[in-house]
Amino acid sequence: MTPGNPELAEILRIAKEYGFSDRQLAEMWKRPEADIRRLRKDFGILPTYYLVDTCAAEFEAYTPYFYSTYETGDEMQVSDRRKVLILGGGPNRIGQGIEFDYCCCHASFALRDAGIMAIMVNSNPETVSTDYDTSDRLYFEPLTFEDVMNIVEKEKPEGVIVQFGGQTPLNLAVPLMRAGVPILGTSPDAIDRAEDRERFQALIEKLGLLQPPNGTAMDLEQALEVAERITYPVVVRPSYVLGGRAMAVVYDAAELTDYFREQVPEKPEHPILIDKFLEHAIEVDVDALSDGNEVYVAGIMEHIEEAGIHSGDSACVLPSFSLSYDHVANIAAQAEALARELKVVGLMNIQFAIKGDDIYILEVNPRASRTAPFVSKATGVPLPYLATQVMLGKTLDELDPWSLRRGGFTCVKEAVMPFQRFPGVDIILGPEMHSTGEVMGMGADFAEAFLKSQIAAGQRPPRSGKVFLSVNDRDKPYVADVARLFADLGFDLLATRGTAKVLREGGLEVEEVRKVYEGRPNIVDLIINHEIALVINTASGKNTARDSKAIRRAALTWKVPYCTTLAAARATATALAAGRDVDHVETLQEYYARDARGQE
Amino acid sequence: MKAVLVLEDGFALEGQSFTGDFETGGEVIFTTGMTGYQEVLTDPSYTGQMVCMTYPLMGNYGITAEDMESAGIHAEAFLVKECCKEPSNWRSVMSLPDFLMKHGTPGVEGLDTRALTRHLRLNGAMRGIISTREKDREALREKALGLPTMKGRNLVPRVAATGPYAWHDNAPRPVSLGPDGSYAWRGTGLPLVVYDYGIKWNILRHLVAAGFEPLAVPPGFTAQAVRATGARAVFLSNGPGDPATLGEEIAIVRELCRDMPVTGICLGHQIIGHALGAHTEKLKFGHHGCNHPVKDLTTGKIEISSQNHGFHVVLDGVADVEATHVNLNDHTLEGLRHTKLPIMSLQYHPEAAAGPRDGNHLFHRFREMIGRATGN
């Protein structure tokens, strides 16, 4: 690319017609992306917008869907109405849930109800937010700076909403702001304070809050030093990843060395983050709504699985079922302090871990999280809808979300796993997200809600039969308590040697069964013969995980209900103990109506 | 080489020639088939027309020896978004650009075919000029306005048969008639005279498959000459141009209808319409493609059909004629039959090529009707 090259304009036009992005051209021509954009605009090489009519223009179509192309015509009429752009999350992938589709829909409804033209930008045909009647206009475009800027320059909206599409549009907040695009809601600077590791640390210190001890490393040597300082186990992960990709909990220097060998390139582009792993801590997810002054703590969700399981894979309960009043009050106060300090306008999500009496902040996301639809339905308060109104200038005083809240019931969110579809994959949960969906169980109490969520997620907990237990060494001190719950319910206990010994020491009657490599018949044979009603099998660390993989695989293949954490097993036993009728179902509206009557 | 397309109303687009230097004109129409470019190019009904393909990639499976619909290309020019020059298909014997150049037909790519389609849909099919020689748009527009309009244009003589021929081994074979006009039928099927106004070969293939022995004849073949051949029924082919200009052909068919079973497709259907007292009108931008829904009123079933016509028959209450098929997009007539005489016809293309074969069974319906009428 030589400036002044007379063929440059033509080459650039052809490249754009062929679909090269400015960014690709910038890489090829070794220039900043902004230069390519400027050059393109100087040459007048701008995209035009054509209608997605599915009939090659043969018939007149009324669907307000557009795609960009470098062509001669233009089928888009710019409206002079007030308008706001909503950025969606792009294609569905693990860690970028369909939950954001819900948020984008409600943002659109709120805009339309306010008389503002709702313009959706999303490249995902699988969503409701990209239905032709959800928004006033849809741009079927990638969520990149180039494509979004093209639309902004064409439509000139009064603002852009970036907090409803997950991390993808959120990452565009700062570049868009720098390009002079008005971002509605929380300021890009506040978003950066929550996203940037150092600025985030300063924020936590300023507010006098607690973070797990942590550090960063560019190579193994540094990592070993950090881990030594903050003590094992630690969570390691590359920075700038979605959905906990390549995240792992490691328990010693050998595992850390393995991790670096397998996951980290020789010279990583970004530092590796290392945090102290809080073993057996309770993880709590909080969604809050703020107008910059007032804060509405919408939901404090208690995870059933302990900290260390990705929040997208963990089941959670609203309202919380084991937290003390003090903990709840303290968490709410911290959430409010964070929202005020960041001057959040719209939604925010915070992940806490409670260990003993200490409350640690794991993560702050200044955007709608994947729990926003769950909290909205579990409390009757339409969070994304209200958040959009807040972004348009309403105050929480005016909207009064407190008065909308419905209660008197418990909701459980459970993740749905795609393991059945992927033969050979291990079903163990960890810091890397696996789930591809979620379900919600609703009931009068935890037991009913939990059982319904399990059934909806594809496993019906048994009422009787044999429970098989095989747990890793770290879980052994706790396994007897859980087994006792099942024994008290009349289940027979089966265990492999090590676990059986622990159970007997705990005074429980248990039948011993062979591990896979100990001969036959072994536990996998029993699973295949349908002799096992429930499998409780935990693993952590690479080696134990490999040993027990065959067991979990068999359970999955032969559709035997399974728990891969003691927490889930405990929740199952607790729920079964209540003996609820879970075949009785009611609508969300019936639950809400009952609470409304209760308030009168 | 840059090529400029200018329509009679001044609408202009630029593209690149992939067949060298040229200037040509005709009625610009669009065709919606995603495949079937070879059949479109070799279909004589496209005579006098420049064909714009709405699907953006053409040529990717090359040209095949078995899929010719006539001996050559009849479209005036081929207008596409992108032409694939290196086909990938084991049956391919030639690339699309080579095929066009062999027949001297201009091919242009890089045109915004969607903009062109939209313009034609909104404003109707119209005359246009495409040229690599002249760049002045006003001059090209003047030339376009100087072209004959499709309405009132008789194009049959350009593509119709000039003498009788039989259909053997997937190719036309010229034959001669006896001094008394008789024909030595081979006995391979029901003797059928086929008027070739610019026939698609797949029609002949289907007539053979349905149990006919076709003898193709030129448009001016008289009713008396038909009887002299000993044929038991008559079939009228597709063809180009405005059916209302075909006075002589219509008169012959009117006479044949009195004592022969008569069937027809496309232009043949329009000639039957005229012969029975109906008239034809020009459609705004025609039906060209492989995705037109047609309802068979006799069964209630819907077929997705292959179509290529710029005119349609309007029955307006002609005695003893009823509609059998209707287009579900614009409710125009797609098929008719006489309630007393063994006469039926279809506007669309049951022989497909290109397009779906939903309508293939209609050749058997022809055969059954003729069988009932002739006792064969």
Side-chain angles (χ1 to χ4, degrees), chain A residues 427-440:
Chain A
I427 59 179
I428 204 85
L429 300 179
E432 195 166 359
M433 183 168 162
H434 293 94
S435 82
T436 49
E438 62 182 32
V439 292
M440 172 168 148

Side-chain angles (χ1 to χ4, degrees), chain B residues 248-268:
Chain B
E248 187 194 345
E249 289 81 354
I250 292 165
I252 293 170
V253 171
R254 191 176 291 129
E255 192 184 336
L256 286 167
C257 282
R258 289 195 201 113
D259 54 5
M260 279 266 191
V262 181
T263 62
I265 288 175
C266 199
L267 183 71

